[in-house]
Amino acid sequence: MNAVGVVTTKDGKPLNTGEIAGAEVSGHNSFQDAQAFVDSGGNKGLQEQVMLAGRYFINPMFATMEIKPMTAVPIANVGVVISYVGQPGKDVTGDAFKHGNLVGKGEKGVWNEPLDPGMYPINPYILKVELVPTANVVLNWADSKTEAHNLDKDLSTIAVRSLDGFKFNLDVSQIIHIPRADAPKVIARFGSMLNLVTQVLEPTIGNYFRNAAQNSDVIDFLKNRQQRQGEARKSISDALQEYNVGAVDTLIGDITPPDELMKTLTDRKIADQRKVTFDSQRLAEDSRQELEKSKAMADTQASVVTAERSVSIAGYAADATIKQAEGQAKAKTVNADADATVTRVTGDADAGKTLAVGTAEADVIKLKIASMTSDNYAVIETAKALSTSGFKLVPDIVAGGDGGGSNSLMNVFLARLIKDGTAAPKP
């Protein structure tokens, strides 16, 4: 059973002035031998000695026993002992520490050596154990938010006023750490961890943020939250060093500006977001247009290549046509020259033939004329021509003549022309 028995005797010598419990004496067999206790100089009243778990036969007319739980020091904590009994001790802190006395174990005062985690049989009436956390401790200046240690149960949201006259609230979390060796000094100075919070941390942190808010307007305070937090960490850390407390970090939680100002900021932010959205949509549309343009270019690339090849082929075809035309022209020129040459040669030959024939015929005619008179030759040739032309030589009416025989045929021809009106002059 984790309990101790606190003994109060009804017999013995009186306590010395200023004492609250009798010093421990030996030889009484754990208060079971009342006479031995008295003979050993035991004091009447509350005893420093406690009884551990067990069975004892104690005369109730001599002493009474009260059961108390043993003192527990949890993990991540140390127990600083404050003793109300013992010889007055000598301060061991030196001149540097002027905020209380630390004494050795068993002496009256704050013991300079704390208790490590564990269970201890301590008489709670003569020794008081203050628990000091050696792990990081989070303290919240926020409504309805309290840690399990309850050291911040009375802390609330900090109300501040800005430079431009607005009142707003902010939540703050302070993380502190107390080294094991400094735990007795903290208790010697403040008496308890709760007193440390109410006497130092609460006013220090609250006043810091009130002063910081008065030097800035609300919007600037909101915009420079990270900077404010860094400044608070340094300033509070410097302030707590004097109290043997380490400031691990200072965190600014929710900031609640005035509703009318919050609406202005919200409207401005919405407008900014709309602008960002519009710009994003515009960029997306530009990108889409570029994409469509690229796709169109890619889709028409085959047609462009085909057209370019067609142009090249057409160029080649035109060049071939030109070359062919030039060849044909050259061929025609050569053929024309050949034809001209042939024609000239043929003409020359025909002319020579005609000349030869004509010359031969002329020679024949000359011989014919030489064999007869020229008049007779003319009549004979005329008759030959008329005989082959189908001309009617015998007229319907024969006109009389001068009776000359040599011109009779000519006269008949002339008479026929006169009759038919062939020789008549045109009107």
Side-chain angles (χ1 to χ4, degrees):
M1 184 175 63
N2 295 326
V4 294
V6 177
V7 179
T8 302
T9 62
K10 301 179 181 179
D11 195 2
K13 66 179 183 179
L15 293 172
N16 297 326
T17 303
E19 298 293 338
I20 63 171
E24 183 175 350
V25 295
S26 60
H28 51 77
N29 192 18
S30 299
F31 301 100
Q32 296 180 92
D33 189 344
Q35 188 60 49
F37 174 80
V38 173
D39 294 342
S40 298
N43 296 108
K44 180 181 179 180
L46 180 65
Q47 302 297 308
E48 295 182 13
Q49 182 182 354
V50 294
M51 305 296 293
L52 300 179
R55 175 175 292 185
Y56 302 94
F57 298 93
I58 299 176
N59 186 349
M61 302 301 294
F62 165 69
T64 59
M65 183 181 297
E66 182 182 3
I67 304 301
K68 291 290 185 181
M70 296 182 70
T71 300
V73 178
I75 298 296
N77 288 265
V78 294
V80 178
V81 179
I82 303 174
S83 177
Y84 303 115
V85 297
Q87 297 296 321
K90 181 180 180 181
D91 182 29
V92 297
T93 58
D95 296 335
F97 187 77
K98 302 178 180 180
H99 307 286
N101 295 331
L102 294 179
V103 298
K105 183 177 180 180
E107 299 177 337
K108 184 183 293 187
V110 179
W111 292 357
N112 64 339
E113 186 63 27
L115 301 178
D116 291 321
M119 301 293 293
Y120 296 91
I122 292 177
N123 186 339
Y125 293 114
I126 64 172
L127 297 177
K128 181 180 181 182
V129 178
E130 287 289 340
L131 296 179
V132 177
T134 53
N136 290 347
V137 177
V138 180
L139 302 172
N140 298 302
W141 276 256
D143 295 336
S144 303
K145 186 176 182 181
T146 304
E147 299 294 332
H149 49 63
N150 279 333
L151 294 174
D152 55 354
K153 61 184 179 64
D154 294 328
L155 301 179
S156 59
T157 298
I158 302 175
V160 298
R161 189 175 298 276
S162 65
L163 180 63
D164 48 0
F166 287 103
K167 184 178 180 180
F168 63 98
N169 299 327
L170 65 137
D171 295 341
V172 176
S173 294
Q174 178 65 49
I175 304 175
I176 63 172
H177 171 69
I178 301 175
R180 177 185 183 279
D182 289 335
K185 294 181 181 180
V186 172
I187 298 303
R189 183 195 295 264
F190 301 105
S192 67
M193 285 295 298
L194 186 58
N195 290 341
L196 170 66
V197 173
T198 58
Q199 296 176 17
V200 176
L201 295 175
E202 182 178 10
T204 299
I205 294 175
N207 287 335
Y208 171 82
F209 282 103
R210 293 185 185 95
N211 294 335
Q214 288 181 352
N215 295 325
S216 172
D217 56 48
V218 179
I219 296 178
D220 182 68
F221 196 94
L222 291 172
K223 288 183 177 180
N224 299 304
R225 170 189 180 133
Q226 187 173 2
Q227 177 183 349
R228 302 292 180 189
Q229 187 168 280
E231 293 173 351
R233 181 188 304 113
K234 184 179 184 308
S235 178
I236 294 173
S237 177
D238 294 341
L240 295 184
Q241 283 182 356
E242 181 181 352
Y243 304 100
N244 302 105
V245 177
V248 178
D249 204 355
T250 302
L251 305 174
I252 298 177
D254 292 337
I255 300 176
T256 309
D259 292 339
E260 60 273 17
L261 184 60
M262 194 63 185
K263 184 178 184 305
T264 301
L265 295 177
T266 303
D267 293 342
R268 183 185 303 175
K269 186 63 177 179
I270 292 174
D272 292 340
Q273 291 300 319
R274 286 177 177 173
K275 183 178 182 300
V276 171
T277 302
F278 173 78
D279 293 339
S280 299
Q281 291 175 345
R282 179 174 56 81
L283 292 176
E285 186 65 23
D286 293 342
S287 300
R288 189 188 67 81
Q289 292 179 0
E290 290 295 329
L291 177 61
E292 293 296 334
K293 182 177 179 181
S294 299
K295 290 174 62 177
M297 291 294 292
D299 293 340
T300 59
Q301 189 65 30
S303 301
V304 171
V305 173
T306 302
E308 290 178 350
R309 292 181 61 84
S310 299
V311 171
S312 299
I313 293 172
Y316 295 147
D319 292 341
T321 302
I322 292 173
K323 297 293 184 182
Q324 183 180 6
E326 290 177 351
Q328 291 176 352
K330 290 181 180 180
K332 288 181 179 180
T333 301
V334 173
N335 292 335
D337 292 341
D339 292 343
T341 301
V342 170
T343 301
R344 184 173 66 254
V345 173
T346 303
D348 291 343
D350 291 340
K353 178 181 178 182
T354 302
L355 179 59
V357 172
T359 301
E361 290 178 353
D363 290 340
V364 171
I365 292 174
K366 285 181 181 181
L367 291 176
K368 288 181 179 181
I369 293 175
S371 64
M372 67 183 69
T373 63
S374 58
D375 292 336
N376 291 332
Y377 179 76
V379 170
I380 293 171
E381 291 299 322
T382 302
K384 290 180 178 180
L386 291 174
S387 65
T388 61
S389 63
F391 188 80
K392 189 176 182 181
L393 295 177
V394 180
D396 294 334
I397 301 176
V398 178
D402 56 1
S406 60
N407 293 326
S408 59
L409 183 57
M410 183 61 69
N411 290 333
V412 173
F413 175 69
L414 292 174
R416 186 67 180 177
L417 292 176
I418 294 170
K419 180 179 180 301
D420 294 336
T422 305
K426 293 181 181 182

